[in-house]
Amino acid sequence: MTATPIRLLLVDDDPLVRAGLALMMGGAEDIEIVGEAADGAEAEELVRRTRPDVVLMDIRMPSVDGLTATRRLRGRPDAPQVVVLTTFHADEQVLHALRAGAAGFVLKDTPPAEIVQAVRRVAAGDPVLSPAVTRQLMRHAAGSAADTRQARARDTLTVLNDREREVAVAVGRGLANAQIATELFMSVATVKTHVSRILAKLDLDNRVQIALLAYDAGLLEDGH
């Protein structure tokens, strides 16, 4: 099988970390490292030149940090998927990156095989974020703005019809399309159509952002 390899860009200000990631990813036959960058500004230039499918992005860097770079990259018409690298589970910067369009995050001490798998999943369109971790992040960053955020999220969701709202909640619970189809008695193709419509109506980039919005609106607080 000669599938096109996943084009990957590595972004970290520590050359030793980049070297380790390159060594780790270099062993995967289906991944091609197209470049390495030391900060967000360099990453943006390399994305323009190399057109990667996935960017593995450190969150804290001098000059242009990972959050700013993620926001800029996800605003591009040919935006690559972004996986954020961090040293903390409950990191408010990670949450901001997810809201900006990152498809998930991995810890720097994650086993190599899991980081490789995360890149594969994101390239295939699957978020790298469990509902439990989403809730942990949200609780960490809740603070005094929670009520305002909930009201804003609920107002945003009013554009969805009842069926789309059900699908949005299921996405927020971390269910895959096949699981949603079984639970809501519809075909997988119909689920995909609903997800696409939800993304379009809410002007979102990916399923992670649907999950965050559902959580903001208080739709995942019923024990799911």
Side-chain angles (χ1 to χ4, degrees):
M1 190 171 73
T2 57
T4 303
I6 300 164
R7 297 174 61 80
L8 176 67
L9 176 64
L10 304 175
V11 186
D12 197 294
D13 64 318
D14 187 335
L16 289 178
V17 172
R18 292 200 308 274
L21 290 170
L23 184 64
M24 181 190 312
M25 297 297 170
E29 293 183 357
D30 57 339
I31 296 176
E32 176 189 358
I33 299 172
V34 296
E36 299 181 21
D39 66 21
E42 190 178 351
E44 290 178 71
E45 175 60 28
L46 281 173
V47 165
R48 280 191 287 270
R49 289 188 355 227
T50 65
R51 301 177 65 85
D53 301 305
V54 179
V55 178
L56 202 52
M57 177 85 73
D58 186 18
I59 199 74
R60 287 183 169 82
M61 295 179 292
S63 183
V64 178
D65 64 21
L67 173 59
T68 301
T70 296
R71 186 180 297 112
R72 291 176 180 173
L73 292 180
R74 291 302 298 167
R76 294 172 57 87
D78 56 346
Q81 296 294 336
V82 177
V83 179
V84 171
L85 279 169
T86 182
T87 53
F88 303 105
H89 270 292
D91 188 333
E92 192 167 351
Q93 290 294 98
V94 173
L95 183 60
H96 289 319
L98 295 172
R99 292 189 188 283
F105 76 93
V106 292
L107 296 176
K108 288 189 176 182
D109 60 359
T110 298
E114 292 182 24
I115 296 181
V116 171
Q117 190 58 31
V119 169
R120 289 173 177 148
R121 285 182 55 191
V122 166
D126 296 326
V128 184
L129 194 66
S130 72
V133 172
T134 304
R135 284 191 275 274
Q136 180 185 4
L137 282 166
M138 293 301 297
R139 282 194 298 271
H140 174 74
S144 60
D147 290 342
T148 301
R149 192 169 60 240
Q150 184 177 88
R152 191 186 310 121
R154 289 184 173 181
D155 182 62
T156 299
L157 290 171
T158 58
V159 300
L160 303 183
N161 61 38
D162 290 343
R163 203 57 163 163
E164 290 164 346
R165 190 182 178 91
E166 289 179 325
V167 172
V169 171
V171 169
R173 288 167 50 207
L175 300 185
N177 287 341
Q179 294 171 305
I180 298 173
T182 299
E183 185 168 296
L184 298 182
F185 305 102
M186 61 177 71
S187 69
V188 172
T190 300
V191 173
K192 290 180 179 178
T193 297
H194 280 310
V195 171
S196 295
R197 287 176 178 168
I198 291 167
L199 291 170
K201 283 186 175 183
L202 300 179
D203 192 26
L204 300 177
D205 290 315
N206 55 44
R207 295 167 75 100
V208 172
Q209 290 180 322
I210 295 176
L212 290 172
L213 191 61
Y215 189 95
D216 282 349
L219 302 181
L220 307 180
E221 297 175 354
D222 56 359
H224 289 302

